[in-house]
Amino acid sequence: MRTRPLALGAALALVPALVLSAATAKSRKPATGLVKSAAEAKAIAERETGGKALTARRIPLNGASGGWEVDVRMPQDDRGWRCIIDSDTRMVHSKTRIDQPGGKSQAEGPLRTVRGTR
C-alpha cells in the first residue's frame, strides 16, 4: 500500500524532466569526415581568422584527400590571410599573410595618361 504513493511521487518528479528534455532542440553533432565543399572550407577559415572568406579552391595536400586554399579578407586590416585547410582533420594547416584579396593592389591604381611624347 505504501509503495503506490511512493511510485506515484517518483513518476510525478520525473515528468517535468522528461518534458524539458523532449522540448529542447537537439544539439548539432560536430562535423566529421572530409571537407567536401568550398562553403565548409570558407567557414573554417572565417572561424580561424575572424575575416570574410572570398575564394576557396581544391589543392593537393599530404595524401589522397587533399585540402583547400582559402583567401580571407580582413575588413579592418591592410592585409588578408591565405589559409590552407586540411580536408582530413578539418583544421587550418597553415596561414600566410597576403595583400588584401578582392581589393585594389598597388599596381591597380587609377589610370594615368602621359602627354607630350609620341
Side-chain angles (χ1 to χ4, degrees):
M1 192 77 152
R2 188 167 167 94
T3 59
R4 280 192 179 171
L6 189 61
L8 182 62
L12 288 176
L14 290 176
V15 169
L18 291 173
V19 170
L20 288 175
S21 68
T24 59
K26 293 183 180 179
S27 63
R28 288 188 68 194
K29 198 168 72 171
T32 59
L34 300 175
V35 177
K36 294 184 180 181
S37 68
E40 289 179 66
K42 286 180 177 181
I44 293 168
E46 287 175 354
R47 189 172 51 240
E48 177 71 23
T49 61
K52 175 70 177 148
L54 298 179
T55 62
R57 67 182 186 100
R58 295 278 307 184
I59 59 169
L61 181 70
N62 67 8
S65 59
W68 292 85
E69 182 180 80
V70 182
D71 289 341
V72 180
R73 181 175 181 79
M74 300 300 288
Q76 285 79 25
D77 203 353
D78 60 339
R79 299 188 60 143
W81 290 99
R82 177 165 293 141
C83 298
I84 306 296
I85 312 290
D86 190 350
S87 288
D88 292 330
T89 62
R90 305 182 68 86
M91 295 179 68
V92 174
H93 186 266
S94 66
K95 287 190 326 186
T96 308
R97 293 292 270 179
I98 59 171
D99 288 336
Q100 196 71 277
K104 290 183 178 181
S105 68
Q106 294 174 356
E108 296 177 357
L111 182 65
R112 294 185 348 189
T113 58
V114 178
R115 295 184 184 201
T117 59
R118 281 196 177 215

